[in-house]
Amino acid sequence: MSRPRKVHVKSFGCQMNVYDSNRMADALAPAGYIETARMDDADLVILNTCNIREKAVDKVYSEIGRVREFKEAAEAQGRRMLIAVAGCVAQAEGPEIIRRTSAVDLVVGSQNYHRLPDLIARLQAGEKIVDTEFPAEDKFDVLAAPAPEAIAKRGISAFVTVQEGCDKFCTFCVVPYTRGAEVSRPVEKIATEVERLASAGVREVTLIGQNVNAYHGLGLNGVQASLGQLLRRLAQVPGIARLRYTTSHPRDMNDDLIAAHSDLSALMPYVHLPVQSGSDRMLAAMNRRHTRKDYLDAIARLRAVRADLALTSDFIVGFPGETEEDFTETLSLVDEVGFAGAYTFAYSPRPGTPAAEMERQVPVEVSTERLYRLQALITRHQRTFNDSFVGRTVEVLLEKPGKLPGQLVGKTPYLQTVQVMAPRTLIGSELPLIITGTGTNTLFGALAIERTAPAFATAGA
Ligand code: SF4
């Protein structure tokens, strides 16, 4: 019997890349590829790259060097290994990747994953290919649907891309160039995907998009639907207990979406709302198109309908021209909002973005020192938020086994991780846990009611 062909997809960066990696594996399944967790054992290695972080391109080339060693070892054993580079670095670098390293066989842009089976077939004939054009067709229309076994393997919590691209052009960001203009999928196509996930046992769906709350997909009535309307439709899918969405822009936090937080019990009381800076001067230089007051107003409107809402954010410190006064305004914004957590970055220029050309770049030692101060403040707020749960009973969706024998890991509605000793049969259940303590990045809980069987049946279980 011939050996099945194996694909290993290594994902870098955000949840959108994790989702894309799954869809690439799904697209290759009909071509006879099965997924492998081992890179050295693969016939095809796909590096799904991210261009957001500092020195992303250098890191990709160093990872390609690592894969090339596996490729050479495979070839020494008479086995062919193909290397593909996908994602934002592929989109940005294009043919330069193959020029710099001949080990790479395929460079494929983020809009072209539906073409993978054809592209791989052409590679077998010895071609080297670069496919980074933005295509006329919608990749979601042609990407293969995941098989029920693939969904079950990925767990009870799934991401679904509903929107891609960005029209905002923040001056520090590469996304509008690597992912293109904002495009939204139609409501019913998303609903069909969520129904398929639910029938394979998924209980929680996070809708993802670079600018998810700018969603404006076609609704059933032929009119564009908002993210709030999409959420209302998905809340009707049987089996889906929890809905989330990320990442949002403050400008697109409209009344309809805020009302959904009040009306839909399945919509979790958690919003990740990047602000980047607390200084209006910096927000203008970043071309964020909102002020500090706009941001605080959006939060006040959200909290007016969900007082318990947990908020997280993204911050950039040391943006060109940032003074100590600007940075102090960021610190005061953190105190004013009381975030449950945040991602913090020291600014570093991305080639091709307007901010990379700006004068008054902040010295690295200054931005590093500010970053530490900001992180310390956010950690204090995160601890305060988490400590406030000790002694409370919270509904936790139990997701997977923990690191210790007999332990499960789940999530609160506020996206905190909880560890609990509980039988594996409870995976997929949403149960009340008493929070008994907190660790650095986790809560500890105990079952509020002793159970040994699932609280409900999950389809496909
Ligand atoms: S809104 Fe987000 S994705 Fe769009 S340019 Fe700004 S930071 Fe990038």
Side-chain angles (χ1 to χ4, degrees), residues 34 62 67 72 99 104 120 126 136 139 164 188 198 218 240 261 278 282 284 357 362 370 377 405 413 440:
I34 58 168
S62 112
V67 188
E72 287 166 357
R99 258 201 297 276
V104 172
I120 300 298
K139 70 174 172 184
E164 275 194 309
E188 280 313 303
L218 200 65
I240 297 298
H261 275 282
M282 287 298 101
E357 310 298 322
V362 174
R370 286 180 190 162
L377 182 62
T440 318

Side-chain angles (χ1 to χ4, degrees), residues 134-150:
F134 284 99
E137 74 271 23
D138 178 355
K139 70 174 172 184
F140 291 107
D141 280 349
V142 257
L143 270 172
E149 319 77 72

Side-chain angles (χ1 to χ4, degrees), residues 100-122:
R100 271 182 67 174
T101 162
S102 60
V104 172
D105 301 282
L106 169 67
V107 177
V108 57
S110 49
Q111 300 305 319
N112 300 337
Y113 299 151
H114 55 296
R115 295 181 185 158
L116 268 175
D118 287 345
L119 296 170
I120 300 298
R122 282 168 55 197

Side-chain angles (χ1 to χ4, degrees), residues 166 168-170 172-173 175-176 210-211 249 288:
C166 182
K168 302 280 191 297
F169 289 91
C170 299
F172 54 82
C173 182
V175 166
Q210 268 96 20
N211 238 304
H249 192 283
R288 288 289 294 171

Side-chain angles (χ1 to χ4, degrees), residues 52 165-177 182 209-211 247-250 252 274 276 286-288 314 316:
I52 294 285
C166 182
D167 299 340
K168 302 280 191 297
F169 289 91
C170 299
T171 51
F172 54 82
C173 182
V174 289
V175 166
Y177 312 101
E182 283 173 5
Q210 268 96 20
N211 238 304
T247 291
S248 297
H249 192 283
D252 296 315
Q276 310 299 358
M286 291 173 173
N287 191 32
R288 288 289 294 171
D314 292 344
I316 294 174

Side-chain angles (χ1 to χ4, degrees), residues 64 69 106 133 142 178 187 193 226 285 340 386 398 418 426 437 451:
I64 292 171
E69 288 175 20
L106 169 67
E133 292 297 308
V142 257
T178 57
V187 169
E193 184 172 340
S226 65
N386 286 341
L398 298 169
V418 188
L426 293 181
R451 281 184 198 269

